[in-house]
Amino acid sequence: VSPNTPTAADIWDAGWSRAGAGVAGSAIRELLKLTEQPEFISFAGGLPAPECFPAEEITLASERVLASSASRVLQYGPTEGFPPLRELLASLSARRAIPVTPEDVLVTSGSQQALDILGKLLIDSGSPVLVEQPTYVGALQAFRPYGPRFIPVAMDVAGLIPEALESALAGLARTGARAAFLYSVATFQNPTGVTLSAERRGAILDIAERYDLRIVEDDPYGELRYDGAPAPHLAALDAARHGRPRHVVYLSTFSKLLAPGLRVGWAVGPASLLRKMALIKQGLDLHTGTLSQAIAHESCRDGLLDRQIPRIRQIYGARRDAMLRALERHAPEGVRWTRPEGGMFLWLTLPEGADAARTLARAVERKVAFVPGQAFHADGAGANTLRLNFSYAPPASIEDGVQRLCEALAEG
Amino acid sequence: VSPNTPTAADIWDAGWSRAGAGVAGSAIRELLKLTEQPEFISFAGGLPAPECFPAEEITLASERVLASSASRVLQYGPTEGFPPLRELLASLSARRAIPVTPEDVLVTSGSQQALDILGKLLIDSGSPVLVEQPTYVGALQAFRPYGPRFIPVAMDVAGLIPEALESALAGLARTGARAAFLYSVATFQNPTGVTLSAERRGAILDIAERYDLRIVEDDPYGELRYDGAPAPHLAALDAARHGRPRHVVYLSTFSKLLAPGLRVGWAVGPASLLRKMALIKQGLDLHTGTLSQAIAHESCRDGLLDRQIPRIRQIYGARRDAMLRALERHAPEGVRWTRPEGGMFLWLTLPEGADAARTLARAVERKVAFVPGQAFHADGAGANTLRLNFSYAPPASIEDGVQRLCEALAEG
């Protein structure tokens, strides 16, 4: 081997695409990997509590589908999804006041996959994409390889601010540009836990109609309400006005209601969009796992979700309460936090000038973890914010972990 | 509703990305959907025979992993893959003479997903991508949204022609361009069934070294050999020269050995590439289904593949023989076909000027189906070619179906 022989790294690093050159690990990602050890109390992940997995029902469902139809559930299946599951998801959508036929349901490999598909279909390099500020980091990660120009839209405790949205759209219109879409986690948002108020939902649809705005409504947590009154989904309001979804494509998942390890999510929305999404999905993974889809269908078809949802609400509601109580008890002066009515996360704002990434290093010494808020900001703001997950750790650990976290916060 | 109110189609169709605008269904795709009815004899799909699924072993594996570790196999998991499965795949790779550590294995949602990831990492609009002519249509579909300039490289009965590859690379070099990669299904190719000869494999690696060429070796069928002597994988030759893979990323899957409905494939190769692939995959679907991965691991860890492979070889080998015999008996004058030593497909070439898409319409009337060859050609050539699958239909149906197909061929 001559000294000029290229290494594997030379050969591969010489030619990444723009998207490939842009993707890189992060110090925080590496730090958070450390915190997956059992002695850590982690508020970092977005993990459901395994106590909530309906393991027995899933085991029975798996036995039943393999006993009755192994040659079907182990075989390749249609890209659009396992037909009985698409029927079940159309009914479930109807219960969420989103009237669609089974033909308008696309099963996806988690709702994460729908984000990638929508990015591919709707974003070109430089396309304006409106996102809540802050927003789900996984959406930023899914969209970023397509080269969007993110336009963060301000939120407050009642969610996305309609005036801020309208002003962003008007600004684009003045330059002759058009937004690819608005991405919104309207209910129990990841990362803030904030829910868009019912009144604002109407206002946002009014704006959508004025600007022909396309909306991606990502709803993984909507069923996980611990108090307060439910607000209608954006897709439901849209369908109520037009008979069926027109401006809104609605994404959801079994990850928080059954088990994320199945990787079964879905999208419903306008037919022309759903058709394109299926054609794109075929190139991505041919279809979502047939066995997983059959298990999801078989477990849910006799009403498992009606038993699961109250159970999860009770367990997570108690954990949210435990976290709020612990914060009230231990949080240092100047730290503020959201009080979510549901979901899995709450959001801390530290005093101006604080650096949550540095706090994380101190928290890790105390064997407690969270995610610093900057990664959730499309524009790199939010250094003084952080996200806490309350669904995974049991209440006693929550009290203990928040106390340790607050010690780290109090140190500066 | 005023007559000027935009429809959902107006709103969504007004703003596809370039990739989104380019994706469209095809008449043949719609026609082939019809042929999924039970009275059809289909040589169209690439389906494994369900008789080969180890349903009992998969059922037991599912029971065992759910009984012993439900909270792990139903939970989110690492993007890189279920750790015990990565270990198993590193051993399996070693048996295929590709020495890698578990850290160099990325589990993917079928090997199809690896194609999308590689497209995202390596292809920009206009990037030259070398493909065999013809090549796997799903690879064209995965790469196309990234805007490649496909450069078809000629094949003959011994596979990709090294001189044709070198001439394409030299042509690119003259214009200062560099190929993103060469995509090759070197063994029992989809669609032709052709295998790259051992001698040519060495020649192609020599060329790769001269041109710093990156190679994507897609190997779903390599274990399915019915006669002839195995040739080393390109990745194995590459690793033998350099200690570990340098030019070649190697993709494989459980879809043909266990069950495609699990959607579990994998990639092994140079570490810097594998790291980027995992970062991209996180944005695509977070990770491949944990339960599916755990089932694949649990079924295989006691040597199931050693029992599966001889069984599949026997069943598919008999079907290949049945198809070759039927073609010899019934094929009209002027039709030629490949004689694959393994895999799932063989390839027919009709006389110059024939149109396989028109033959398909006649074949469908006789309730037999195949895939016309044009879609497998990056440049739209191949109108007089077609692909036949021999793994799915039982031997008696193969005889019957080939006879009907040949009647359709004889009609003109």
Side-chain angles (χ1 to χ4, degrees):
Chain A
V1 180
S2 96
N4 295 324
T5 303
T7 65
D10 293 335
I11 290 166
W12 291 87
D13 291 352
W16 303 119
S17 65
R18 258 168 311 179
V23 70
S26 78
I28 285 173
R29 193 173 189 266
E30 295 309 306
L31 189 57
L32 290 176
K33 274 189 183 172
L34 290 181
T35 70
E36 284 160 14
Q37 296 155 29
E39 70 270 30
F40 268 85
I41 297 176
S42 182
F43 304 134
L47 302 190
E51 308 87 286
C52 293
F53 295 157
E56 208 167 302
E57 288 86 344
I58 286 176
T59 306
L60 278 171
S62 171
E63 281 171 20
R64 279 200 300 258
V65 299
L66 283 164
S68 72
S69 32
S71 67
R72 185 178 187 198
V73 302
L74 296 176
Q75 187 58 282
Y76 285 113
T79 300
E80 292 81 355
F82 185 63
L85 181 63
R86 293 174 82 198
E87 281 183 32
L88 184 140
L89 293 172
S91 310
L92 182 60
S93 297
R95 287 175 53 180
R96 295 182 183 179
I98 309 166
V100 292
T101 65
E103 290 68 42
D104 298 331
V105 177
L106 176 69
V107 176
T108 55
S109 302
S111 47
Q112 185 70 34
Q113 185 180 49
L115 300 177
D116 173 50
I117 295 173
L118 289 165
K120 197 167 250 174
L121 278 175
L122 299 170
I123 303 173
D124 275 323
S125 179
S127 302
V129 172
L130 300 158
V131 293
E132 291 160 343
Q133 168 96 322
T135 189
Y136 169 51
V137 63
L140 296 176
Q141 206 178 348
F143 300 150
R144 209 165 256 146
Y146 300 103
R149 174 160 67 93
F150 286 121
I151 302 182
V153 183
M155 296 171 65
D156 61 20
V157 289
L160 190 69
I161 300 169
E163 294 71 21
L165 174 64
E166 178 137 33
S167 141
L169 288 166
L172 285 173
R174 275 193 302 275
T175 66
R178 191 186 169 204
F181 56 84
L182 164 69
Y183 171 73
S184 172
V185 185
T187 308
F188 317 136
Q189 198 219 23
N190 181 355
T192 61
V194 160
T195 294
L196 185 64
S197 71
E199 195 191 346
R200 285 191 182 175
R201 288 173 191 238
I204 283 168
L205 277 174
D206 291 343
I207 294 170
E209 301 197 350
R210 283 204 293 282
Y211 288 86
D212 288 352
L213 176 66
R214 297 176 284 196
I215 300 178
V216 177
E217 181 179 23
D218 191 0
D219 186 44
Y221 316 108
E223 305 271 16
L224 307 182
R225 175 173 286 281
Y226 319 129
D227 46 43
H233 298 298
L234 291 168
L237 287 176
D238 183 34
R241 292 180 183 199
H242 304 293
R244 37 164 301 142
R246 195 172 76 170
H247 291 270
V248 183
V249 57
Y250 173 90
L251 315 181
S252 194
T253 176
F254 285 118
S255 291
K256 314 324 189 228
L257 302 181
L258 289 184
L262 296 174
R263 308 308 302 122
V264 179
W266 66 92
V268 299
S272 63
L273 174 65
L274 268 282
R275 254 197 317 273
K276 288 254 191 196
M277 289 181 74
L279 290 166
I280 286 287
K281 178 175 164 64
Q282 188 170 45
L284 302 188
D285 62 0
L286 303 182
H287 61 85
T288 295
T290 326
L291 180 59
S292 285
Q293 292 187 71
I295 289 173
H297 169 256
E298 180 69 24
S299 353
C300 290
R301 70 193 182 89
D302 67 346
L304 173 61
L305 292 182
D306 295 335
R307 303 190 296 280
Q308 274 291 99
I309 292 167
R311 196 163 153 255
I312 300 173
R313 282 181 178 158
Q314 192 186 7
I315 293 173
Y316 291 2
R319 292 177 183 197
R320 177 204 57 176
D321 294 344
M323 187 166 273
L324 288 172
R325 272 197 312 271
L327 282 167
E328 276 147 27
R329 223 170 355 242
H330 304 294
E333 199 71 24
V335 173
R336 291 174 296 122
W337 55 92
T338 57
R339 284 165 182 78
E341 294 187 333
M344 296 172 40
F345 303 104
L346 59 78
W347 184 249
L348 262 65
T349 305
L350 313 183
E352 215 44 63
D355 180 351
R358 275 178 39 212
T359 305
L360 177 61
R362 287 197 302 275
V364 164
E365 287 167 17
R366 291 178 166 81
K367 301 212 180 293
V368 60
F370 60 84
V371 184
Q374 200 160 23
F376 300 94
H377 290 72
D379 60 1
N384 65 326
T385 59
L386 61 91
R387 188 191 74 175
L388 297 183
N389 166 269
F390 55 75
S391 61
Y392 185 68
S397 303
I398 288 177
E399 162 65 24
D400 187 14
V402 168
Q403 186 170 358
R404 295 190 220 166
L405 166 67
C406 290
E407 287 166 18
L409 287 172
E411 277 195 359
Chain B
V1 179
S2 95
N4 295 323
T5 303
T7 65
D10 292 335
I11 290 166
W12 292 88
D13 291 352
W16 303 117
S17 67
R18 257 168 311 179
V23 67
S26 76
I28 284 172
R29 191 172 190 268
E30 295 309 307
L31 190 57
L32 289 177
K33 275 189 181 172
L34 290 180
T35 70
E36 284 158 16
Q37 297 154 28
E39 69 269 29
F40 267 84
I41 296 176
S42 182
F43 305 135
L47 302 189
E51 307 88 284
C52 292
F53 296 156
E56 210 169 298
E57 289 86 344
I58 286 177
T59 305
L60 278 172
S62 171
E63 281 171 19
R64 280 200 299 259
V65 299
L66 282 164
S68 70
S69 34
S71 68
R72 185 177 188 201
V73 303
L74 296 177
Q75 188 56 285
Y76 285 114
T79 300
E80 293 81 357
F82 185 63
L85 181 64
R86 292 173 82 198
E87 282 183 33
L88 184 140
L89 292 172
S91 312
L92 182 61
S93 297
R95 287 175 53 181
R96 295 181 184 180
I98 309 166
V100 292
T101 66
E103 291 69 41
D104 299 330
V105 177
L106 176 69
V107 177
T108 54
S109 301
S111 48
Q112 184 71 32
Q113 185 180 49
L115 301 177
D116 173 49
I117 296 173
L118 290 165
K120 197 167 251 172
L121 278 174
L122 299 170
I123 302 174
D124 276 323
S125 179
S127 301
V129 171
L130 300 158
V131 293
E132 292 160 341
Q133 169 95 323
T135 189
Y136 169 50
V137 62
L140 297 176
Q141 206 179 350
F143 300 150
R144 210 165 257 146
Y146 300 104
R149 173 159 67 92
F150 286 121
I151 302 182
V153 184
M155 297 172 65
D156 62 20
V157 289
L160 190 71
I161 300 168
E163 294 72 22
L165 173 64
E166 179 138 34
S167 141
L169 289 166
L172 285 172
R174 275 194 301 275
T175 66
R178 189 185 169 206
F181 55 84
L182 164 68
Y183 171 74
S184 172
V185 185
T187 308
F188 316 136
Q189 197 218 24
N190 179 357
T192 61
V194 159
T195 293
L196 185 64
S197 71
E199 196 192 347
R200 286 193 182 175
R201 288 172 191 240
I204 282 169
L205 277 175
D206 292 343
I207 294 170
E209 301 197 352
R210 283 203 293 283
Y211 287 86
D212 290 350
L213 176 66
R214 298 177 282 195
I215 300 178
V216 176
E217 180 178 24
D218 190 1
D219 186 43
Y221 316 107
E223 305 272 16
L224 308 182
R225 176 172 284 280
Y226 319 129
D227 47 43
H233 297 298
L234 290 168
L237 287 176
D238 184 34
R241 293 180 182 198
H242 305 291
R244 37 164 301 141
R246 195 171 77 170
H247 291 269
V248 182
V249 56
Y250 172 89
L251 315 181
S252 195
T253 176
F254 285 119
S255 291
K256 314 325 190 230
L257 301 181
L258 288 184
L262 296 175
R263 307 308 302 123
V264 178
W266 65 92
V268 299
S272 64
L273 174 65
L274 269 282
R275 255 197 317 274
K276 288 254 190 195
M277 288 180 75
L279 290 166
I280 286 287
K281 177 172 165 69
Q282 190 171 41
L284 303 188
D285 61 0
L286 303 182
H287 61 85
T288 295
T290 326
L291 180 60
S292 286
Q293 291 186 72
I295 289 174
H297 169 257
E298 180 69 24
S299 354
C300 289
R301 71 193 182 89
D302 67 345
L304 172 60
L305 293 182
D306 294 336
R307 303 192 295 282
Q308 273 291 100
I309 292 167
R311 197 165 152 253
I312 300 174
R313 282 181 179 158
Q314 191 186 6
I315 292 172
Y316 291 3
R319 291 176 184 198
R320 177 205 57 175
D321 294 344
M323 188 168 271
L324 288 172
R325 272 198 311 272
L327 282 167
E328 278 148 28
R329 218 166 2 238
H330 304 293
E333 198 69 26
V335 173
R336 292 173 298 123
W337 56 90
T338 57
R339 284 168 182 76
E341 293 186 335
M344 295 171 42
F345 302 104
L346 59 78
W347 184 249
L348 264 65
T349 305
L350 314 183
E352 215 46 60
D355 179 352
R358 273 178 39 211
T359 307
L360 177 61
R362 286 196 302 273
V364 165
E365 287 167 19
R366 293 177 165 80
K367 299 209 181 295
V368 61
F370 60 84
V371 184
Q374 199 161 23
F376 300 93
H377 290 72
D379 61 0
N384 65 327
T385 60
L386 62 92
R387 187 190 77 175
L388 298 183
N389 166 268
F390 56 74
S391 61
Y392 185 69
S397 303
I398 289 178
E399 162 65 23
D400 187 13
V402 168
Q403 185 170 0
R404 294 191 221 166
L405 165 67
C406 290
E407 287 165 19
L409 286 171
E411 279 196 358

